[in-house]
Amino acid sequence: MTLAKYRTIFGVGLQNTLVYRWNFLLRSVFEVIPLLGTVFLWRAIFASRHEPVGGYGFGSMIYYFLLTNLVTNLITPTEDEWQIAADIREGQINSLLVKPLDYLGYRVSLFLGYRVTYSALTLPLVLGLFVCFSRYVTLPRHGETWAWGLLSLTLAAFLQFFVTYAVAMLAFWILEISTVVFIVYSFEYFLSGHLFPLDLLPGGVRRLTDWLPFSYELFFPVAVIQESIRGPALYQGLVIQAVWVAVMWGVGQLMWRRGVRRYQAFGG
Amino acid sequence: MTRYWQIYRLLLRNSLIREASFKANFLLWLLTELLWFLGQILFVEVLFRSTEEIGDWSKWEVVLLIGTHQIISQVFQAVFYVNLANLPDLVRTGRLDLLLLLPVDPQFSVSTKQFGLDNLINVGIGATFVLFSLGKLGIVPQPWQVGCYAAAILLGAMIHYAIMFALATLSFWIVRAQGLIYGYFNVVSIARYPDVVFSGLFKLIFTWLIPVVVVSNVPARLLVRAASHPALLMLHLVGVCILALATSRVLWQHALRRYSSASS
């Protein structure tokens, strides 16, 4: 019974994304431009040097960016924070609070629904890119990498979602969350490995990123799939990643409880 | 024309009053933009740890390029960004009706309602980095270079405008269009790379059709590579700017004809 409820919400999430398929398709199409820009940039850099950069040759660098593109398309929440903030600001949660429904469970079901449709919509494009650059794609050499990759990818999805959720919870206290969203996003952009692989950072900063949540949102699963992180470093990373997921879940839940207590149900 | 000026002065005054009443928001946006900019400088640091040059651009030339990109995009964002970002919402909710009824060109009223003061401060930060890079490169630009640079900045901001305006008009066809706003940021993100890295069809498209590659590169070249055909560079910039503005205008008019309002 309980599960059936959330399965229905998951279905709503699926359909919601499908309605706005053009919006999401275009978004994904436009993401190809910076990706190609990055390929050109590294081509120019590798034209004048032949030894690898931070452990990456030209081929593995391109493969790295292909994988970040794939992972982003698979797991990054697209509009969840805006929807949650609007739910709170405009009093939509009134109708949810009176239902026998856990709000986080509701949002997670929607999120999963969104991700499935979004990924299905954009997968042809992403696969097309993999085909275009297929000579740089190297499938994992070790069978277990698939399992570890899938695990860290799942954890990364929940980490990204819980960060998004916690940020959106701020809507209980402030009217406009967009500045906070963009501040968090800028940290994610530079420290999650979106713009460059974190191995390029100087040693001290690189080690610091191992303890921050951002690298586990994107860089870590990509590095696991690319097999640049293996052995003890892999296990340590997975543990830290799981801890961050739990922490962000806790923060989100705490904010929700505090928020609802001071919530005054505007609108309706 | 004077009437438009008068209206714009009123709008500007309104925006300033608005900003003054949301001080915390103003400071937060300032901080956000600053973080983005510093992140990009960090990126240059990271890149130049592993190379001496990108194409034939040295580190400080690239910093100057990114500073220039910052100035241009912040000028554009100060004047137009928020307004264009709101356009999809106006279309979706039907509130565009109100703006269409005004006795001014609708393109003017959808483009100019709000002005972002925080962006102007970020223009200053970009300019500081440009000046600092000039110092590092040991270049003292001639007055004509400074004049051309300033003109190129304005042309560049208009190209940014044309690109985002064209993207925003697509919202007349596809209801929800937040994706288009990400589209703008994705497209202009390649403007901060030196033009020499690009080639082939990609270069052709992004120097002529969606001319983001020339936007920051032309003014940067005018400052650091004064010898290489400044007149041609300016001509190119003027040409693609007119082309981009005209195309976006045609798209907009086409889109307006399709508009049928929403709800009641």
Side-chain angles (χ1 to χ4, degrees):
Chain A
M1 174 57 208
T2 329
L3 257 181
K5 216 159 45 179
Y6 293 103
R7 207 155 48 219
T8 314
I9 299 165
F10 174 79
V12 172
L14 289 181
Q15 292 171 22
N16 249 336
T17 305
L18 210 53
V19 172
Y20 298 112
R21 55 192 173 279
W22 283 107
N23 182 31
F24 295 118
L25 257 179
L26 274 175
R27 183 177 167 142
S28 186
V29 168
F30 281 121
E31 270 169 12
V32 175
I33 297 171
L35 177 70
L36 292 179
T38 312
V39 172
F40 277 112
L41 182 72
W42 284 105
R43 196 186 61 166
I45 290 172
F46 277 102
S48 60
R49 72 177 274 143
H50 299 287
E51 62 271 43
V53 179
Y56 293 82
F58 179 60
S60 53
M61 189 67 89
I62 303 309
Y63 185 41
Y64 173 84
F65 285 108
L66 285 175
L67 284 174
T68 60
N69 185 265
L70 171 69
V71 171
T72 306
N73 272 295
L74 286 175
I75 68 170
T76 301
T78 36
E79 286 172 5
D80 304 63
E81 62 264 63
W82 309 116
Q83 289 178 6
I84 297 170
D87 274 358
I88 295 169
R89 199 180 48 235
E90 292 160 16
Q92 306 277 356
I93 57 167
N94 295 352
S95 65
L96 294 166
L97 282 172
V98 296
K99 284 178 193 144
L101 201 67
D102 173 53
Y103 187 68
L104 181 63
Y106 166 76
R107 288 311 320 189
V108 169
S109 313
L110 276 181
F111 168 66
L112 296 177
Y114 293 158
R115 293 328 310 153
V116 168
T117 327
Y118 189 97
S119 304
L121 277 171
T122 59
L123 215 56
L125 185 75
V126 179
L127 287 181
L129 284 169
F130 271 76
V131 171
C132 281
F133 292 102
S134 56
R135 83 191 105 137
Y136 305 121
V137 174
T138 46
L139 291 178
R141 277 177 296 132
H142 307 271
E144 73 267 20
T145 301
W146 291 100
W148 294 128
L150 197 65
L151 176 62
S152 73
L153 189 67
T154 312
L155 286 171
F158 279 98
L159 181 57
Q160 288 208 20
F161 177 76
F162 288 140
V163 168
T164 299
Y165 185 78
V167 169
M169 283 299 119
L170 284 171
F172 279 116
W173 292 270
I174 55 178
L175 206 57
E176 243 324 313
I177 62 154
S178 48
T179 45
V180 186
V181 169
F182 284 115
I183 287 173
V184 173
Y185 183 60
S186 56
F187 279 104
E188 288 175 336
Y189 189 68
F190 295 109
L191 296 178
S192 77
H194 202 95
L195 196 55
F196 54 84
L198 298 179
D199 302 306
L200 268 52
L201 287 168
V205 188
R206 172 71 191 89
R207 276 190 294 280
L208 180 68
T209 59
D210 273 343
W211 298 99
L212 296 174
F214 307 109
S215 64
Y216 298 98
E217 294 184 35
L218 181 63
F219 174 77
F220 182 68
V222 169
V224 170
I225 299 167
Q226 217 173 358
E227 295 184 321
S228 58
I229 295 182
R230 302 197 67 234
L234 169 68
Y235 309 131
Q236 183 199 315
L238 283 169
V239 171
I240 303 178
Q241 195 181 23
V243 169
W244 272 117
V245 172
V247 167
M248 288 321 295
W249 170 81
V251 170
Q253 286 297 67
L254 187 74
M255 289 175 79
W256 166 259
R257 269 200 291 279
R258 294 247 164 141
V260 168
R261 217 178 299 152
R262 57 163 288 161
Y263 176 65
Q264 293 176 319
F266 295 111
Chain B
M1 204 58 206
T2 37
R3 193 166 64 102
Y4 280 93
W5 237 149
Q6 279 168 349
I7 298 172
Y8 195 67
R9 274 193 10 218
L10 281 175
L11 289 171
L12 205 59
R13 198 168 150 255
N14 253 339
S15 303
L16 295 187
I17 294 170
R18 207 186 126 89
E19 294 272 23
S21 52
F22 295 107
K23 285 192 196 70
N25 204 43
F26 169 83
L27 287 174
L28 273 174
W29 274 122
L30 192 67
L31 179 72
T32 312
E33 292 289 347
L34 189 64
L35 270 177
W36 270 107
F37 183 60
L38 293 181
Q40 299 192 25
I41 299 295
L42 171 85
F43 181 44
V44 177
E45 277 296 335
V46 168
L47 284 181
F48 279 91
R49 272 165 48 88
S50 49
T51 183
E52 307 267 282
E53 283 185 327
I54 298 176
D56 54 350
W57 291 62
S58 68
K59 176 175 165 184
W60 289 103
E61 286 176 320
V62 174
V63 173
L64 183 136
L65 177 70
I66 290 183
T68 305
H69 172 64
Q70 169 81 353
I71 298 175
I72 296 169
S73 52
Q74 293 296 323
V75 167
F76 158 73
Q77 290 190 29
V79 185
F80 299 115
Y81 174 72
V82 183
N83 307 300
L84 297 184
N86 283 336
L87 182 59
D89 234 24
L90 291 178
V91 174
R92 191 175 53 87
T93 56
R95 276 180 294 149
L96 182 64
D97 298 5
L98 287 173
L99 293 174
L100 291 179
L101 286 172
L102 299 175
V104 287
D105 189 308
Q107 184 175 350
F108 175 81
S109 45
V110 299
S111 306
T112 56
K113 194 157 170 272
Q114 266 185 55
F115 184 89
L117 193 63
D118 52 309
N119 300 108
L120 277 195
I121 296 170
N122 279 296
V123 170
I125 293 165
T128 312
F129 272 82
V130 169
L131 289 175
F132 189 74
S133 316
L134 281 175
K136 281 277 179 190
L137 292 163
I139 294 174
V140 181
Q142 304 292 314
W144 70 264
Q145 282 175 292
V146 178
C148 283
Y149 184 78
I153 295 280
L154 294 181
L155 288 167
M158 290 317 289
I159 292 175
H160 274 238
Y161 169 76
I163 290 170
M164 179 140 178
F165 186 53
L167 285 173
T169 57
L170 293 182
S171 62
F172 284 85
W173 284 273
I174 53 167
V175 202
R176 191 149 60 156
Q178 277 93 344
L180 297 171
I181 292 160
Y182 290 96
Y184 161 77
F185 287 107
N186 282 329
V187 170
V188 299
S189 74
I190 58 170
R192 58 191 179 194
Y193 299 148
D195 48 13
V196 288
V197 308
F198 301 111
S199 63
L201 183 65
F202 191 86
K203 182 167 192 171
L204 202 65
I205 292 174
F206 290 101
T207 38
W208 292 100
L209 288 178
I210 311 171
V212 269
V213 168
V214 289
V215 166
S216 316
N217 274 282
V218 166
R221 276 176 178 278
L222 286 169
L223 283 188
V224 297
R225 317 240 158 135
S228 60
H229 314 294
L232 272 182
L233 288 176
M234 278 309 273
L235 204 62
H236 184 167
L237 197 57
V238 173
V240 290
C241 182
I242 293 172
L243 195 69
L245 283 174
T247 312
S248 65
R249 172 88 179 164
V250 170
L251 253 175
W252 161 251
Q253 282 169 336
H254 197 66
L256 264 191
R257 235 172 287 144
R258 224 182 154 273
Y259 179 63
S260 56
S261 192
S263 74
S264 55

